[in-house]
Each structure stands twice: as structure tokens, then as C-alpha cells.
Amino acid sequence: MNHQEGKHLLSIRALDRQELIAILDRAQYWADQQHSEDSPLQGRFAANLFFEPSTRTRFSFETAQKKLGLHVLNFSADASSVTKGETLYDTLKTIESMGVEAAVVRQKEEGILQPMAEKLNLRLINAGEGTLEHPTQFLLDTLTIRQERGSLQDLKVAIIGDIRHSRVVGSHLWGLPKLGAEVLLSGPPEMMPESHEAMQQEQVNVVPIDEAMQQADIVMMLRIQLERHQSDLYDSAETYHQQYGLTLQRAKQMKPEAKIMHPGPFNRGVEIAEELVEAEQSLIFKQVANGVHVRMAVMERAIGGMGTWQPYSKTVNV
Ligand code: CP
């Protein structure tokens, strides 16, 4: 295997700038291809195990895997032996014994993937681990920003909303400073983390929402993660929208070249005005498209294919 291959992807925290750029460069290579080329991954096996709901991540991993010629096994927890008490580790060990080389896992328990990865031969890819991290979301977001702006160096990325419960933020807090960007966090006080190690970095600042709107090059809105809240925090969606949402009025405060992003799923009229989801300054559906490109690069990094990796002439600095 090439030295770039055979790697788990468990967190952005664990990756250095050089490795992040290598994955983004390869994802950009896939973004520029008109057709999938013959892949050395043809006929090999990968599995997707989602214990929490997903549309974007699950389907874009499957699309990416199929574009690379992999055989894809989609695991359904409800119809599996997990219902008989089998653990995630034993499930992974079982599919590894069948010849599955990589497993994409989304699940809510935090801190269990790393110790399992150390005991498994198959490659583990984190598709969302509780509120900890969502590494491929970070990669597709930064690929999208890089396509727009050429580089993340010195950009201000505002992340607004339910910061405390967002695993997307978990990855961005570690990754954006590595790529030279500053992070502005904003949201209701009850949705801000009590403490987060990554918030100690000087490139991370908590600011009022209107300051975030005015300063940001990228305005990234987050959904309220109701499934992780104990009780309703707002009387109505409209109350939240007016206080912390990207309203049409707030969007007018944005810099002319600033862009809107959202990892999805989005709730129109709650954290973002209905009209702004598909507005000219919105990158939301470009993010989704880039999800496939990033996940192709991540699958190659996990189980091979980067042997065909050509030096990429259009590579730009991050
Ligand atoms: N952004 C994201 O993870 O979306 P899904 O939950 O639909 O996968």
C-alpha cells in the first residue's frame, strides 16, 4: 500500500495540516473528473453502519463507494444481531472476518471508536460520533470554502446556533485553525459549551450574532439538535428564528462576498430563512456535492487507490 493508505479516519483533531491538505487535494481531483476512472478498489468490500439517522452522509458514502467500484454492504441495526445484544466491536470483528475492508460508522456513544480501531484490521471511518466529531463534514465544508476562496488562510468562519450539541463544530474547532482560519462562535447561551478544549485556542472566539454576521466571510448556520435536548428551549420556531436565525434582515448585514453554509439537515424558517437556502450566496448544495468527492478520497485513503494518485496541477494552498 501507498503510505497515504490504510488509515482510519476517526477525528480531525488527530490530523495535521499536511494530511488535511492531502485529502482535500485528492477530493478536488475527484471534483474535477467528468467520469470515474477504473479504480483499484473495484470488487472490494466496504460496509456502512448507521445507528443514528442520516440522509447526506449515508447516501454520499454509498455514492462515493459505488463510484470507486466497491461492493457496498448497508447494515440495518434493527434487522441485525445487535438486537440480540451483540456489541459494535463484535459486529465489526464479524464483518472483518468476512473480508470487509472498511466500515463507516455513525453512532452516539463518544470515545469508543479509537480503542476499537486499535484492535481491528478493517479501517474505521467516523461518520458522526455523538457530539464529538464529524470529520468528513469538516472536509467537505473546507473543500467547498477552498473552491470559493482559493484558501482558508485568514478567513473568518462564523458558526451559529446549537454549538454545544454539534459534532460538526467539534471537527471545525480543531480543523479550521490548522488551515489558517479564525472561528467565530455565536448562539443562545444555553446552547454554548460549558467548556471545550478547542475553544482555548486564540483563533476561536465567542461573539454576539450581529457581530458574527458583519465580520464573517462564511456564515455557517446550525440546526437545533432537538434530539439531544432535554426540554424545549423556545416557545416557537419563529421566536428562535428572530433571535438566533439567519433572517433576511440579518443576511443584509453580511459582507458582499460572504457565503452561507449549513451542514444539513436544515429547517427552513427556523435557523435559516426559507429564501436563503437556495439564494445565490448559499453554498449548501455545493457542500452536498462535495460530500461525494471527499468521501471518495477518504475511502481511497482507508483501503487503497491512492497508488494511482497523480500530482495534481490545480492544487491550491489552503
Ligand atoms: N450533515 C449530515 O451529517 O447530514 P445527515 O445527518 O443527513 O447525514
Side-chain angles (χ1 to χ4, degrees):
M1 265 188 190
N2 178 307
H3 74 284
Q4 297 267 22
E5 297 165 0
K7 294 183 177 175
H8 304 289
L9 179 65
L10 303 181
S11 75
I12 295 301
R13 181 178 188 171
L15 300 186
D16 63 20
R17 175 185 166 89
Q18 197 181 1
E19 200 153 13
L20 293 174
I21 291 173
I23 300 171
L24 292 174
D25 282 351
R26 183 60 174 177
Q28 185 60 50
Y29 167 83
W30 285 117
D32 290 339
Q33 297 306 302
Q34 301 299 322
H35 306 285
S36 300
E37 55 195 36
D38 281 346
S39 160
L41 276 61
Q42 203 88 29
R44 293 161 71 183
F45 284 83
N48 300 321
L49 297 85
F50 281 70
F51 295 87
E52 288 191 321
S54 170
T55 297
R56 275 148 286 270
T57 312
R58 189 164 68 89
F59 280 123
S60 64
F61 262 113
E62 188 170 346
T63 305
Q65 291 155 350
K66 287 181 170 167
K67 283 187 173 217
L68 291 169
L70 284 158
H71 291 307
V72 183
L73 306 178
N74 285 309
F75 177 88
S76 170
D78 290 347
S80 76
S81 289
V82 168
T83 59
K84 303 175 203 165
E86 192 159 53
T87 63
L88 176 57
Y89 173 77
D90 287 330
T91 304
L92 291 167
K93 194 75 194 157
T94 299
I95 61 172
E96 173 186 291
S97 307
M98 296 171 189
V100 172
E101 293 182 74
V104 176
V105 177
R106 171 174 287 190
Q107 53 81 45
K108 68 170 190 272
E109 211 175 323
E110 295 174 11
I112 65 168
L113 293 183
Q114 179 66 45
M116 281 194 286
E118 287 163 13
K119 294 196 285 178
L120 290 163
N121 288 318
L122 63 68
R123 299 300 157 194
L124 269 189
I125 298 166
N126 175 4
E129 183 178 14
T131 61
L132 214 54
E133 281 221 36
H134 191 348
T136 54
Q137 184 68 46
F138 167 82
L139 291 165
L140 74 89
D141 289 346
T142 49
L143 180 67
T144 307
I145 297 171
R146 202 172 79 154
Q147 288 168 350
E148 288 297 312
R149 300 296 294 257
S151 162
L152 279 92
Q153 191 64 45
D154 299 328
L155 290 188
K156 289 184 198 284
V157 179
I159 309 180
I160 299 167
D162 189 356
I163 306 293
R164 181 186 295 188
H165 299 101
S166 171
R167 51 189 165 214
V168 176
V169 172
S171 289
H172 276 286
L173 283 176
W174 290 114
L176 285 171
K178 291 179 191 178
L179 299 182
E182 185 183 335
V183 187
L184 306 175
L185 297 178
S186 196
E190 61 274 20
M191 295 187 199
M192 297 301 285
E194 279 160 24
S195 67
H196 193 301
E197 204 183 327
M199 286 173 67
Q200 308 310 315
Q201 301 172 97
E202 65 179 87
Q203 303 96 323
V204 179
N205 292 295
V206 178
V207 298
I209 186 165
D210 290 311
E211 192 177 321
M213 290 292 162
Q214 289 156 20
Q215 290 192 9
D217 299 291
I218 300 292
V219 173
M220 188 179 295
M221 302 307 296
L222 299 176
R223 179 179 68 90
I224 309 174
Q225 307 230 346
L226 288 172
E227 69 276 23
R228 300 186 205 278
H229 286 266
Q230 305 300 324
S231 58
D232 289 347
L233 293 172
Y234 283 84
D235 308 341
S236 69
E238 182 55 25
T239 309
Y240 182 85
H241 185 58
Q242 291 306 327
Q243 288 186 19
Y244 290 102
L246 181 54
T247 59
L248 293 175
Q249 201 56 35
R250 282 206 177 94
K252 289 182 187 155
Q253 298 180 48
M254 288 167 55
K255 295 198 259 187
E257 71 281 13
K259 300 292 183 192
I260 297 166
M261 298 179 74
H262 194 311
F266 43 82
N267 293 125
R268 294 179 189 240
V270 185
E271 71 274 12
I272 181 167
E274 156 89 40
E275 299 87 336
L276 293 174
V277 172
E278 294 172 65
E280 199 188 336
Q281 69 266 49
S282 167
L283 301 177
I284 292 173
F285 292 98
K286 282 192 183 158
Q287 290 172 260
V288 176
N290 277 325
V292 176
H293 308 134
V294 155
R295 287 163 181 136
M296 289 175 82
V298 166
M299 292 310 302
E300 289 180 311
R301 178 178 177 272
I303 58 175
M306 285 186 170
T308 57
W309 189 321
Q310 301 296 322
Y312 184 53
S313 59
K314 286 192 199 161
T315 297
V316 288
N317 292 329
V318 177

